[in-house]
């Protein structure tokens, strides 16, 4: 039985997973860890994994990652608070991100943001009362050729206007299916997308349209004109006479640096870390 404590954004969170959920997350985490030469390198996808379970990186999710990877909860929290794709409070079913970076902004992104914020009654990284939409102002969706762009759980909706973006939000709220401009044929939930980001295939990778006309215009022009990129110079030549290419694992290479220091694995450090994990997981 898990213990409930406190309230976050009107929702209770548990300090530990029930046995069935813990076993399932452990099995999935073992798959993730097996991809890396060092277990701690699996932390980023594991944070997406626990986010797919709770809808955000919860205290119990942090404790689970720490215990599974042999890290302290402070180390896991430091990573979870650095990246904006990890949510520290319950997220909506759909994250609607409006690009307000330079090109999208001058093409109408700022107007879309202001209209959607007023229409939904929420600001940046806030969630509607019904829990359906979390609205975000994002820096860049890497789709400048289709500006202004809105994304729903990181699926593209190109060439948007305030009217089309408002209709998109209304359809999501009403539970109507929406079709991205490119990519998958539909939009999955935030939890489902988090599992994909953890590295688990949802079978939708080959759906929908990929690169469109604006994206391919440059390469097609280059082919028509016979343009090619110059050959990349040999590393030893560009570095000067007598130089050699860098050697992986050589002096100053990160591969030679230990993953831990003696202080990290001392009996006192292990005891302190274990007591912290036990307090979080119990």
């Amino acid at each position: 039985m898990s213990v409930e404590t406190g309230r976050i954004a009107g929702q209770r969170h548990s300090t530990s997973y029930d046995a069935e959920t813990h076993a399932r997350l452990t099995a999935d985490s073992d798959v993730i860890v097996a991809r890396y030469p060092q277990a701690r390198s699996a932390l980023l996808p594991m944070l997406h994994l626990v986010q797919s379970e709770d809808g955000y990186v919860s205290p119990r999710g942090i404790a689970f990652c720490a215990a599974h990877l042999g890290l302290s909860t402070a180390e896991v929290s430091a990573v979870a608070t650095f990246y904006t794709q990890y949510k520290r409070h319950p997220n909506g079913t759909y994250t609607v991100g409006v690009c307000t970076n330079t090109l999208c902004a001058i093409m109408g992104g700022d107007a879309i943001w202001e209209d959607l914020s007023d229409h939904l009654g929420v600001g940046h990284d806030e969630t509607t009362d019904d829990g359906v939409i979390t609205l975000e102002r994002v820096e860049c969706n890497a789709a400048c050729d289709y500006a202004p762009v809105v994304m729903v759980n990181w699926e593209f909706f190109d060439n948007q206007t305030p009217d089309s973006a408002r209709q998109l939000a209304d359809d999501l709220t009403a539970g109507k299916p929406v079709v991205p401009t490119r990519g998958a044929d539909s939009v999955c939930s935030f939890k489902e997308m988090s599992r994909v980001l953890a590295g688990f295939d949802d079978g939708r990778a080959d759906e929908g349209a990929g690169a469109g006309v604006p994206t391919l215009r440059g390469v097609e022009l280059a082919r028509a004109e016979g343009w090619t990129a110059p050959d990349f110079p040999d590393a030893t030549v560009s570095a000067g006479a007598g130089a050699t290419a860098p050697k992986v694992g050589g002096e100053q290479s990160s591969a030679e640096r230990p993953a831990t220091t003696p202080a990290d694995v001392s009996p006192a450090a292990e005891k302190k870390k274990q007591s912290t994990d036990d307090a979080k997981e119990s």
Side-chain angles (χ1 to χ4, degrees):
M1 179 180 295
S2 61
V3 180
E4 291 188 333
T5 177
R7 285 186 179 271
I8 294 181
Q11 299 186 23
R12 287 190 180 276
H13 67 266
S14 302
T15 57
S16 62
Y17 295 107
D18 59 71
E20 181 181 352
T21 303
H22 192 280
R24 174 164 46 80
L25 290 175
T26 297
D28 286 341
S29 296
D30 288 342
V31 172
I32 295 173
V33 170
R35 302 172 186 154
Y36 300 91
Q38 292 186 15
R40 64 187 299 154
S41 299
L43 177 56
L44 294 180
M46 275 188 61
L47 286 170
H48 284 298
L49 178 66
V50 296
Q51 188 161 256
S52 75
E53 184 67 32
D54 294 328
Y56 71 114
V57 179
S58 62
R60 65 180 183 175
I62 288 176
F64 173 83
C65 290
H68 195 83
L69 297 176
L71 302 172
S72 69
T73 52
E75 289 174 307
V76 176
S77 295
V79 174
T81 55
F82 185 84
Y83 297 102
T84 58
Q85 277 191 323
Y86 300 127
K87 307 300 180 181
R88 296 311 309 276
H89 50 81
N91 201 77
T93 304
Y94 303 101
T95 295
V96 175
V98 181
C99 183
T100 55
N101 213 328
T102 307
L103 185 56
C104 276
I106 63 175
M107 295 293 286
D110 283 344
I112 292 173
W113 165 260
E114 292 170 4
D115 189 84
L116 267 185
S117 181
D118 290 341
H119 183 63
L120 296 173
V122 294
H124 172 67
D125 198 28
E126 294 180 352
T127 303
T128 54
D129 290 338
D130 57 12
V132 175
I133 294 176
T134 295
L135 185 63
E136 285 188 343
R137 181 192 291 110
V138 297
E139 278 299 302
C140 184
N141 286 326
C144 302
D145 41 353
Y146 290 97
V149 174
V150 172
M151 298 194 87
V152 179
N153 290 346
W154 300 286
E155 299 289 357
F156 289 106
F157 289 81
D158 303 319
N159 300 314
Q160 293 294 293
T161 66
D163 288 342
S164 66
R166 194 184 316 113
Q167 184 61 56
L168 172 62
D170 287 346
D171 288 344
L172 292 171
T173 300
K176 297 180 180 179
V178 297
V179 180
T181 311
R182 292 172 287 134
D185 293 334
S186 61
V187 173
C188 64
S189 71
F190 177 77
K191 287 184 177 181
E192 290 169 333
M193 180 53 68
S194 294
R195 183 169 175 80
V196 173
L197 292 174
F200 295 94
D201 185 15
D202 65 352
R204 305 190 310 145
D206 296 324
E207 288 183 359
V213 174
T215 305
L216 298 175
R217 186 167 295 155
V219 68
E220 290 176 351
L221 178 62
R223 288 171 179 169
E225 298 294 332
W227 299 338
T228 58
D231 293 333
F232 194 82
D234 182 78
T236 57
V237 174
S238 60
T244 58
K247 181 181 179 182
V248 176
E251 187 178 0
Q252 302 300 319
S253 170
S254 60
E256 290 297 301
R257 294 157 65 182
T260 58
T261 66
D264 294 327
V265 295
S266 66
E270 290 292 335
K271 182 178 180 180
K272 182 178 180 180
K273 181 170 71 66
Q274 187 61 54
S275 64
T276 300
D277 291 341
D278 288 346
K280 287 288 186 178
E281 284 279 13
S282 62

